[in-house]
Amino acid sequence: MTHASSLPPRPATFVVTAGRPARTPDAPLNQPIVPASSFIAGGPMEYAREDAPTSEALEQVIGGLEGGTATVFSSGMAAANAAMDLLPMGSVVVAPSAAYTGVAVRLRELDRIGRISLRIVEVDNTAEVVAACTGAALLWLESPTNPLLQVADLPACIAAAKAAGALVLVDNTFATPILQTPLALGADFVLHSVTKALSGHSDLLMGALVTADMALAEQVRGRRVLLGGSTSAFDCYLALRGIRTLALRVERSQSNARFVTERLQSHPAVSRVRYPGFGSMASIEIAAGPAAADAVCGRTAIWTHATSLGGVESLLERRRRWALESTTVPENLIRLSFGIEHEDDLWADLRDSLDAASAL
Ligand SMILES: *Cc1c(COP(=O)(O)O)cnc(C)c1O
């Protein structure tokens, strides 16, 4: 096959072209759904917990986007637990204070039972992250963080961790490989909740762990085989179908986020806007407090009051409604996940709801 240019295809092209059957006469354009637990002996595929055609096609797309070998898991948390499981007993793990709730709770649980020793840092305080890396086995980064949108200096933090002999994992769920590729910056692992922007339609749960190191990739695959967090062919098909439009969706949802957050800055009901300047996630604080924040979430017609993010539909949520949410997250904070609707409709809907809340 010849390319229009000698350069490797850009991500917007790669998401469309990768993970498809070989171009032979009468081959289907799309990777078929192959619902099989077991495969005829003699080839590389034996049993679907190890490998299967539909998940492999998806892994080619995710791995190629991030610049490594991807292994998909039954959820982002299954992928996160696979990474945690690679650590020797008693390993020091450096992690963000407000990481994804499930990750933060699980790391604290592992610390409590003596499985790891946890050091909590603010990822936007580079000096603190660098100092914490001494003696660490793993630096766990999330950038931007959920839901405070703190941004880590990834090159500096990764370099410090590598110098200290630590592995580095970056949860790239918020930025997506369209906006940031941590393996190219020296990270050892990239984690994704494929549930979010990569699949993009809020219709499945899936995770991925990507690494450019072949030995680590084998260990990761071993975690799926032994811990059992494998995926279904049907979900892999949906994720593959969803990821075809990743670049388009990120472009649109990011421009929606820029448009709306700019206008939110001057709305009297909003005391603070957190938007890192890129990506499709933002958080706002409601001046009148948590009850008014709940009212804002309950009044929108286009925005849906629901958890999760990265789908085609815009979602908003007061994060502290969750008992396990970090207490560093303000009670009046609403997280916004921008979808791909028209920017004027998104702004008008949110503005009307904020106007009503400020009139309370
Ligand atoms: C949702 C999420 C996870 C967990 O993924 P699941 O697919 O829900 O298990 C991990 N990290 C981040 C940043 C997330 O948003």
Side-chain angles (χ1 to χ4, degrees):
M1 190 177 89
T2 52
H3 280 293
S5 128
S6 58
L7 291 168
R10 283 87 177 160
T13 304
F14 187 77
V15 291
V16 175
T17 58
R20 293 190 184 271
R23 294 184 174 193
T24 55
D26 277 344
L29 283 179
N30 290 303
Q31 167 61 44
I33 303 170
V34 182
S37 56
S38 185
F39 300 88
I40 309 292
M45 284 188 198
E46 305 269 13
Y47 194 56
R49 211 168 60 234
E50 298 173 13
D51 208 357
T54 326
S55 57
E56 192 181 84
L58 176 62
E59 286 165 347
Q60 281 167 11
V61 184
I62 298 173
L65 283 174
E66 290 288 5
T69 302
T71 299
V72 292
F73 290 84
S74 52
S75 68
M77 282 308 296
N81 276 292
M84 295 172 195
D85 198 65
L86 294 175
L87 296 168
M89 190 73 187
S91 293
V92 171
V93 177
V94 179
S97 67
Y100 174 73
T101 317
V103 166
V105 170
R106 180 65 179 144
L107 288 171
R108 285 202 298 275
E109 198 173 79
L110 292 175
D111 177 77
R112 204 177 324 117
I113 63 173
R115 175 70 180 74
I116 64 167
S117 174
L118 190 58
R119 289 181 190 158
I120 298 293
V121 292
E122 298 302 326
V123 293
D124 55 358
N125 183 339
T126 307
E128 188 188 11
V129 175
V130 169
C133 284
T134 307
L138 176 68
L139 170 62
W140 188 292
L141 289 173
E142 198 180 301
S143 181
T145 61
N146 174 22
L148 297 179
L149 285 317
Q150 293 163 297
V151 175
D153 180 346
L154 286 182
C157 294
I158 291 169
K162 299 316 292 175
L167 292 170
V168 182
L169 178 149
V170 179
D171 185 335
N172 207 24
T173 300
F174 270 36
T176 82
I178 301 300
L179 302 178
Q180 158 178 299
T181 47
L183 297 183
L185 302 172
D188 300 283
F189 301 103
V190 161
L191 173 73
H192 275 288
S193 171
V194 178
T195 312
K196 315 293 169 54
L198 295 197
S199 66
H201 295 72
S202 309
D203 53 4
L204 59 92
L205 284 174
M206 200 180 292
L209 204 49
V210 194
T211 175
D213 180 308
M214 282 321 291
L216 290 178
E218 240 168 77
Q219 289 182 43
V220 168
R221 187 57 60 109
R223 292 310 85 199
R224 185 171 77 190
V225 174
L226 296 177
L227 302 181
S230 40
T231 54
S232 100
F234 297 96
D235 284 348
C236 288
Y237 172 81
L238 284 175
L240 199 49
R241 182 167 175 148
I243 207 169
R244 300 292 180 210
T245 53
L246 177 68
L248 266 181
R249 287 185 284 106
V250 168
E251 190 181 311
R252 173 64 170 241
S253 58
Q254 175 172 254
S255 90
N256 281 344
R258 287 187 172 140
F259 181 88
V260 172
T261 53
E262 208 180 289
R263 282 151 185 81
L264 284 166
Q265 301 281 358
S266 51
H267 196 286
V270 177
S271 53
R272 180 165 179 185
V273 179
R274 296 172 202 250
Y275 181 61
F278 66 98
S280 315
M281 299 298 297
S283 290
I284 54 175
E285 288 170 38
I286 304 303
D294 282 334
V296 170
C297 294
R299 272 196 170 88
T300 51
I302 292 170
W303 290 82
T304 305
H305 186 199
T307 198
S308 201
L309 55 111
V312 292
E313 65 292 305
S314 293
L315 302 180
L316 82 177
E317 179 185 34
R318 187 173 74 83
R319 289 295 299 173
R320 285 293 296 278
R321 76 191 179 96
W322 295 99
L324 289 175
E325 183 66 314
S326 167
T327 51
T328 60
V329 174
E331 282 279 7
N332 60 343
L333 179 144
I334 297 175
R335 185 180 73 183
L336 305 173
S337 170
F338 287 87
I340 62 168
E341 306 90 336
H342 196 285
E343 59 189 15
D344 291 333
D345 292 330
L346 288 179
W347 168 237
D349 187 38
L350 195 53
R351 186 200 54 216
D352 289 352
S353 186
L354 287 164
D355 288 349
S358 43
L360 280 182

